[in-house]
Amino acid sequence: MFKLLPIIALCTMLGSTAFAQKISPVDSLQNSYATKKAQSVYFELLGPGAIYSANYDTRFKNRQDGLGGRIGISYYADGGDQLFTVPVVVNYLLGKKGKYFEVGAGITYFSVNSNTVFFKSSNNYENGTNDIYYGRKNNSGIFGSLNFGYRYQPADGGFMFRGGVSPIITSEQFVPYWPYISFGYCF
């Protein structure tokens, strides 16, 4: 009986290795991307960058979803009017397999240099003058923004897409339905 014990143990070890599953190359590829920090660059129309912005986005941990952030830059000039913005947003991705719901909050620094028409506080139309002042207006500051939308970002990299609404919050107003749409590349 004791002579059979080593043979039984040997057969058990060989049998357990015979039934072990191999990891396919596809599973191995997916697992390597699942533990990789998701990063992307994209062009966004509207959103927290105002008219448009070029952005870099990353996750804070080595994963495809979860907490992350983005920073962007935008410059627009037309007929003497200039707008410069820098959106900074912290966001969270909920979902899996490259399809996510994105929620975020951030601030945007802006600087505006614009030709603007100002009216005097006391308009005098009786003497035939319309009391209009023409001049340059320089203004800078920050405004808050929120993000709610869909993000398609494949785990193995490539084309990415974002779309949703980004409500704008200032000390003077709230714009609840400011849309955004983004196209870019994730790696």
Side-chain angles (χ1 to χ4, degrees):
M1 175 81 174
F2 291 107
K3 292 182 182 183
L4 289 175
L5 191 57
I7 295 172
I8 293 172
L10 184 60
C11 288
T12 304
M13 288 188 332
L14 290 176
S16 65
T17 58
F19 290 112
Q21 295 179 354
K22 287 187 176 182
I23 296 176
S24 72
V26 174
D27 290 338
S28 176
L29 180 67
Q30 288 175 350
N31 289 337
S32 68
Y33 281 109
T35 59
K36 181 182 157 202
K37 184 186 292 190
Q39 300 179 65
S40 58
V41 290
Y42 55 88
F43 178 80
E44 179 175 74
L45 291 172
L46 301 176
I51 298 169
Y52 74 89
S53 61
N55 298 272
Y56 169 74
D57 185 288
T58 186
R59 301 296 93 210
F60 295 145
K61 292 189 176 183
N62 288 342
R63 50 187 301 163
Q64 297 294 304
D65 60 355
L67 192 61
R70 79 176 237 202
I71 187 164
I73 191 165
S74 174
Y75 178 76
Y76 176 78
D78 182 36
D81 295 340
Q82 300 171 343
L83 173 64
F84 174 73
T85 64
V86 178
V88 179
V89 177
V90 174
N91 54 36
Y92 193 86
L93 300 181
L94 299 155
K96 53 187 170 182
K97 297 186 180 179
K99 298 173 185 157
Y100 304 103
F101 174 71
E102 178 179 359
V103 60
I107 60 170
T108 299
Y109 168 78
F110 68 90
S111 177
V112 177
N113 187 2
S114 176
N115 287 323
T116 311
V117 177
F118 295 98
F119 292 89
K120 279 187 181 178
S121 58
S122 59
N123 289 324
N124 186 359
Y125 293 104
E126 295 174 5
N127 64 9
T129 62
N130 58 4
D131 296 321
I132 297 176
Y133 288 152
Y134 292 93
R136 303 253 353 131
K137 181 177 180 182
N138 296 316
N139 190 11
S140 64
I142 60 171
F143 62 83
S145 65
L146 301 172
N147 280 31
F148 304 99
Y150 171 78
R151 180 187 290 213
Y152 172 72
Q153 180 172 294
D156 57 351
F159 174 78
M160 64 97 55
F161 167 81
R162 297 171 63 247
V165 294
S166 184
I168 304 295
I169 305 161
T170 70
S171 60
E172 299 162 0
Q173 67 181 0
F174 175 67
V175 181
Y177 301 112
W178 187 252
Y180 68 87
I181 188 166
S182 306
F183 302 95
Y185 181 78
C186 59
F187 50 96

